[in-house]
Amino acid sequence: MTTVSWLAMVPSRLPSPSYVRVASLFLAMIALLAMPFYSQAQTRPAITGISHMCVYASDAEASDNFYGHILGAAKGADPQDGSGVRYYFGPEQFVEVLPLPAEHTLSRISCVAFSTVDAKGLHSYMEAHHTEALGAVETAKDGTVWFKSHDPEGNLVEFVQGGHPHAVPASAKPIGTRIIHVGYMVHSKAAEDKFYIELLGFKPYWFGAMKPEHTDWISMQVPDGKDWIEYMMVGDGSTTPVDHVDARELGVLNHFSIGVPNMEKAVTTLYAEDRLSPRHDGPQMGRDGKWQANWYDPDGTRVELMEFQPVMKPCCSEFTATSPTK
């Protein structure tokens, strides 16, 4: 009896060359069809600037006087949250004022929000990069498409594709028509950088401090514009110990900034028209070489008026990106 080894039978069980060619062609077609979807998930849509900041208010009437009269923003309905009110500085930038929750922390900011050209595409990109705590894409009554996320320190961050621009009436007297940056308390630069720089592509702009060999402020511009976010550093390496952060200090750290072409003219207008907040300071020269002044809303959130361009050499670091001009 002749014995046939199993190994000798293997070649007869392999696919024919024609079968291999057909299978390879089929797999190649699948790969080509899948490429647009893979590319869409992996390409980050443009993030172009600041959309808005959300703040909590304990007294709606007092907040209305501050944002509507003192800062001169145009009041409008809030299509994202029926309990809120928007105060527009321009057709697409605003502060969203929300009722202070019954249970709340010291912080009076609810969110920071950035503008994108494609909210659904950005959501897909972040989802493909395994971003945690990513909310669903939603559409507001005015056509705005947006979603929520959280940065590594748990702060609520929104990404907004604008709907119909809000018409700012001629009667409105905004002290400035552009929000140029937002800032809030940060403990860990390394953790925040993974979100803003590594994931989203923000670019370094400037850093500084009150004292040598410290770092108090770190600014990064949005990837596709000139607005920026400012880390307000606390703890190791900064001049602000964590245990010194009370409600008043947190209101200084958590802020948004309105750009003005000329600080003297802006502040003179506020004084002449009796548009002073009970708490304000400046004008003063910032460490970044720009004139600035601070107004505070009734709950202590700081609003920083800032000239677009520096007028003297900044301390600590040079600007590594172009400053906005308007």
Side-chain angles (χ1 to χ4, degrees):
M1 180 177 179
T2 303
T3 302
V4 180
S5 73
W6 179 84
L7 288 174
M9 297 174 62
V10 170
S12 66
R13 295 175 180 270
L14 292 175
S16 67
S18 60
Y19 176 85
V20 173
R21 286 195 296 271
V22 171
S24 299
L25 181 60
F26 179 73
L27 292 173
M29 290 176 63
I30 291 177
L32 286 171
L33 289 171
M35 281 180 66
F37 300 100
Y38 179 81
S39 177
Q40 182 181 15
Q42 296 300 314
T43 302
R44 176 189 54 76
I47 299 171
T48 57
I50 304 297
S51 167
H52 63 278
M53 176 178 267
C54 321
V55 301
Y56 288 129
S58 57
D59 184 332
E61 185 175 349
S63 291
D64 182 66
N65 179 66
F66 179 79
Y67 289 102
H69 170 63
I70 293 174
L71 296 184
K75 186 177 182 179
D78 187 347
Q80 286 182 245
D81 187 333
S83 67
V85 179
R86 289 182 176 182
Y87 293 90
Y88 286 88
F89 294 94
E92 297 180 333
Q93 285 188 314
F94 55 91
V95 172
E96 181 181 26
V97 178
L98 301 166
L100 183 67
E103 296 181 3
H104 60 276
T105 63
L106 294 178
S107 178
R108 289 299 189 268
I109 68 166
S110 170
C111 81
V112 297
F114 300 96
S115 300
T116 178
V117 299
D118 181 2
K120 290 182 180 179
L122 183 58
H123 186 275
S124 296
Y125 169 84
M126 295 175 70
E127 193 172 43
H129 285 77
H130 310 293
T131 306
E132 297 181 0
L134 197 62
V137 177
E138 302 182 50
T139 302
K141 296 177 181 178
D142 66 344
T144 298
V145 183
W146 61 287
F147 65 92
K148 297 178 180 179
S149 181
H150 288 82
D151 73 8
E153 295 202 355
N155 299 294
L156 179 61
V157 182
E158 295 181 2
F159 297 93
V160 180
Q161 179 183 344
H164 305 297
H166 183 85
V168 178
S171 58
K173 296 181 178 181
I175 195 59
T177 58
R178 179 149 197 90
I179 297 174
I180 57 175
H181 78 262
V182 295
Y184 58 85
M185 180 175 67
V186 167
H187 301 82
S188 171
K189 175 185 183 297
E192 293 292 85
D193 281 353
K194 289 182 179 179
F195 182 77
Y196 283 108
I197 295 180
E198 295 178 22
L199 174 65
L200 298 175
F202 280 56
K203 52 198 177 187
Y205 176 54
W206 177 80
F207 67 85
M210 292 296 296
K211 298 179 180 179
E213 300 181 358
H214 290 74
T215 303
D216 291 327
W217 317 291
I218 303 171
S219 299
M220 273 84 56
Q221 282 186 335
V222 298
D224 309 288
K226 295 180 181 179
D227 301 342
W228 69 92
I229 184 171
E230 185 175 23
Y231 299 171
M232 305 297 288
M233 301 302 301
V234 299
D236 293 343
S238 80
T239 57
T240 305
V242 174
D243 59 6
H244 285 198
V245 181
D246 56 11
R248 185 181 178 89
E249 179 65 22
L250 196 55
V252 174
L253 299 172
N254 298 339
H255 70 285
F256 69 93
S257 177
I258 301 172
V260 296
N262 182 282
M263 186 60 64
E264 181 180 8
K265 182 178 179 180
V267 172
T268 298
T269 296
L270 293 173
Y271 272 83
E273 297 181 358
D274 194 23
R275 294 163 60 181
L276 303 180
S277 59
R279 181 182 164 204
H280 59 273
D281 57 70
Q284 59 196 8
M285 180 59 66
R287 300 283 281 173
D288 57 358
K290 299 178 182 180
W291 281 106
Q292 55 191 246
N294 298 305
W295 261 235
Y296 296 82
D297 83 359
D299 286 270
T301 297
R302 181 165 64 98
V303 181
E304 181 181 53
L305 306 182
M306 175 180 279
E307 286 192 359
F308 292 108
Q309 295 285 313
V311 296
M312 61 180 293
K313 183 179 176 63
C315 87
C316 313
S317 85
E318 298 289 342
F319 290 102
T320 55
T322 305
S323 298
T325 57
K326 61 180 180 179

